[in-house]
Amino acid sequence: MKTYLRTYLPLHLIFLFTAIVLFLPFLFTNELVLWRDSQFHLARFHELILEQQNGQFFPDIVRYSGKNAWGYGLNFFYPAYLFYPLLFLWRLTDSPVTSIIVFNIVIIYFALWSNFSIIYKITSKLKFSFVFSITYVLTAGVGNAIADNVPISRIEYMTQYASNIVILLAPVIILSFYNIIFLKKNSTWLRAAIYSSMAVMLSVPTTLGIVLTVIGMVVVAGVKHQLSWMTIKKLFLTLVVILSLSSVFIFPFLQQRKANNWANLPNNPDLFGADFNTFFNRLFGLGDALSLTIIIFTVWLILSKKFNSTYKFLGISYLASLLFLYSNLFPWYLVNPALSGALQMTYRWNFLPALFGSLYVAFAVNDLIKVKKSVLPIVYLSLLYLAFNAMMLNTFAKKFHLDGFNNSTNQLILPTKENIRTDGLFN
């Protein structure tokens, strides 16, 4: 225990400090800045609280919030079991704002530690693992922020809320399977199973992308004759454990799916690789923290004559994943009808470029720290500042107090034309 505390306690404190700093603006003002999806997620949480107050702890059909247009399908595509800590905190404090902020602080801290621990498990490189975790969590997310292009602020105003959480934890799943499939080490199979079951119970669309990524790795390993019988057995065991851990969610809703007609989920075809402008804006936009960091390090690595095949592979993978998700180079119009009900938007799979880009930055810092020792704290403080600044601007530039409930009727007050702002924010 003494060795553990001496080695990891400083990291736990740094990760906790990082998570708290990001949300300090909201803790100071007790405000949330909300986006279009916020009304949906708040209504979902309010619905679940009302169900609990009426003795229904395992969500079934939506009854109270008015969000019942999708019937049983709502609870399948937007499961809520892992939000129970937030719901109980909400009921205990009777403060939705504070509850969401505290819950998000825990999520960021948990994501930072989880991503650090999986990389450290594979590489045994402390600084490398730290840089990867910080870079990934502070730059990965669904979509972009309003005032600053730092996606971490998206988790606060709850756009694609559950998908954002899965994206933050995606490296643990993907790298755990990578460790099993390609490195022939079975030490991460249980971690892969636990985090995969969490993903299933948070966001089906984002989990779909993770599943396809893992299947792709299995196919590549099979083609290269790197898939041993022992690996196949371990993968099968992992799948069984995933199904077992998430069965409380999967089987009841599969039964509901079979017994009921579900309406289609909403779909926006324009977000399926609209055009090349989206790709170029994301790659060369100075507001995108990850792309900007990669460009700076690429120049530095070339000048230092340290740009090798690893950076070429990760750089090409980063560009390819951006092209795949954010341009019309990939014919999304061919798969859109089949995937629209589950994927909805391609940026639910943003973990792909975020993973490659964060590995690029981690390798770069690991190499360049020999040239300039201060590169590590500079990267950490710079990314933390950009993320904090996004939170700060999105809080103080638009002072909207959350007052979405009428206690006398115990019903959610949905936004109207009178209280919706032109930029999509609402009280």
Side-chain angles (χ1 to χ4, degrees):
M1 178 60 72
K2 289 182 179 180
T3 303
Y4 178 87
L5 291 175
R6 186 167 53 250
T7 305
Y8 298 116
L9 181 59
L11 284 170
H12 281 289
L13 294 176
I14 291 173
F15 291 151
L16 183 60
F17 168 79
T18 302
I20 293 175
V21 164
L22 288 175
F23 297 98
L24 280 179
F26 302 94
L27 292 173
F28 288 153
T29 61
N30 200 35
E31 293 176 349
L32 289 178
V33 177
L34 305 174
W35 194 237
R36 295 182 180 93
D37 276 2
S38 307
Q39 56 179 308
F40 168 78
H41 293 291
L42 287 172
R44 284 281 292 128
F45 295 152
H46 192 229
E47 159 73 21
L48 292 165
I49 287 175
L50 292 173
E51 285 189 344
Q52 291 176 7
Q53 291 173 342
N54 287 276
Q56 181 72 42
F57 285 86
F58 295 92
D60 192 34
I61 187 71
V62 176
R63 294 182 176 89
Y64 304 101
S65 69
K67 291 284 183 180
N68 59 351
W70 299 338
Y72 289 95
L74 181 66
N75 288 317
F76 184 86
F77 283 97
Y78 298 95
Y81 294 112
L82 297 183
F83 288 111
Y84 276 11
L86 167 60
L87 301 178
F88 286 125
L89 184 62
W90 185 328
R91 294 183 63 184
L92 181 66
T93 63
D94 197 27
S95 175
V97 175
T98 303
S99 301
I100 292 170
I101 291 172
V102 171
F103 183 76
N104 287 342
I105 289 174
V106 173
I107 290 297
I108 297 299
Y109 163 77
F110 182 68
L112 285 166
W113 175 253
S114 298
N115 288 312
F116 164 81
S117 61
I118 186 61
I119 288 287
Y120 189 63
K121 179 75 174 179
I122 295 174
T123 66
S124 299
K125 295 180 179 179
L126 192 67
K127 295 178 181 178
F128 179 90
S129 305
F130 174 80
V131 173
F132 171 82
S133 179
I134 288 293
T135 303
Y136 185 88
V137 173
L138 294 184
T139 61
V142 168
N144 303 312
I146 299 174
D148 273 4
N149 194 2
V150 182
I152 190 65
S153 60
R154 302 280 287 193
I155 195 174
E156 184 57 48
Y157 52 83
M158 304 176 74
T159 298
Q160 308 299 332
Y161 191 50
S163 291
N164 259 306
I165 296 175
V166 177
I167 286 175
L168 291 175
L169 300 175
V172 184
I173 303 172
I174 295 172
L175 294 173
S176 293
F177 279 108
Y178 177 86
N179 191 42
I180 298 170
I181 297 169
F182 293 107
L183 302 183
K184 309 301 180 184
K185 298 177 181 178
N186 297 323
S187 57
T188 57
W189 76 270
L190 185 57
R191 194 177 319 208
I194 293 173
Y195 280 82
S196 296
S197 63
M198 292 169 59
V200 170
M201 292 189 287
L202 276 169
S203 173
V204 170
T206 305
T207 303
L208 174 63
I210 295 175
V211 170
L212 293 177
T213 302
V214 174
I215 291 176
M217 290 192 291
V218 171
V219 171
V220 170
V223 171
K224 292 186 174 183
H225 305 288
Q226 296 179 346
L227 202 60
S228 65
W229 177 242
M230 183 62 68
T231 300
I232 294 174
K233 289 194 296 184
K234 187 60 66 174
L235 291 174
F236 180 76
L237 174 62
T238 305
L239 177 61
V240 171
V241 175
I242 292 171
L243 293 175
S244 300
L245 291 175
S246 55
S247 59
V248 68
F249 156 71
I250 293 175
F251 294 111
F253 292 118
L254 287 179
Q255 183 274 331
Q256 292 178 3
R257 178 65 182 92
K258 184 178 179 181
N260 298 274
N261 292 323
W262 291 3
N264 292 326
L265 287 169
N267 172 42
N268 186 351
D270 293 335
L271 296 176
F272 282 83
D275 52 49
F276 284 103
N277 289 335
T278 308
F279 163 73
F280 287 113
N281 289 337
R282 189 170 184 87
L283 181 61
F284 298 109
L286 296 182
D288 191 301
L290 183 57
S291 291
L292 179 62
T293 305
I294 290 174
I295 291 172
I296 292 173
F297 276 131
T298 299
V299 175
W300 194 352
L301 287 166
I302 293 174
L303 294 177
S304 302
K305 297 181 179 180
K306 294 180 178 294
F307 191 80
N308 54 33
S309 58
T310 299
Y311 297 108
K312 292 178 182 178
F313 171 77
L314 290 174
I316 292 173
S317 299
Y318 180 69
L319 292 174
S321 59
L322 286 178
L323 283 168
F324 172 68
L325 294 179
Y326 300 112
S327 81
N328 54 11
L329 179 67
F330 183 82
W332 284 107
Y333 55 86
L334 294 179
V335 297
N336 185 13
L339 291 179
S340 60
L343 175 57
Q344 291 184 273
M345 300 91 168
T346 55
Y347 56 60
R348 289 184 186 273
W349 297 352
N350 190 60
F351 59 84
L352 287 170
L355 179 61
F356 290 123
S358 298
L359 285 172
Y360 189 105
V361 173
F363 275 109
V365 171
N366 194 59
D367 285 341
L368 294 173
I369 201 171
K370 302 168 187 175
V371 179
K372 190 176 182 63
K373 293 183 178 180
S374 60
V375 65
L376 192 155
I378 288 175
V379 169
Y380 168 64
L381 293 175
S382 298
L383 293 176
L384 180 60
Y385 167 75
L386 289 173
F388 172 80
N389 195 44
M391 295 290 201
M392 192 93 164
L393 290 174
N394 285 317
T395 301
F396 293 122
K398 302 177 177 66
K399 292 186 177 296
F400 291 113
H401 290 272
L402 178 62
D403 185 20
F405 301 98
N406 185 320
N407 291 328
S408 62
T409 61
N410 204 25
Q411 295 293 321
L412 184 68
I413 301 174
L414 297 176
T416 64
K417 293 181 180 179
E418 286 69 32
N419 62 28
I420 291 181
R421 306 278 295 200
T422 55
D423 58 2
L425 296 170
F426 62 95
N427 288 351

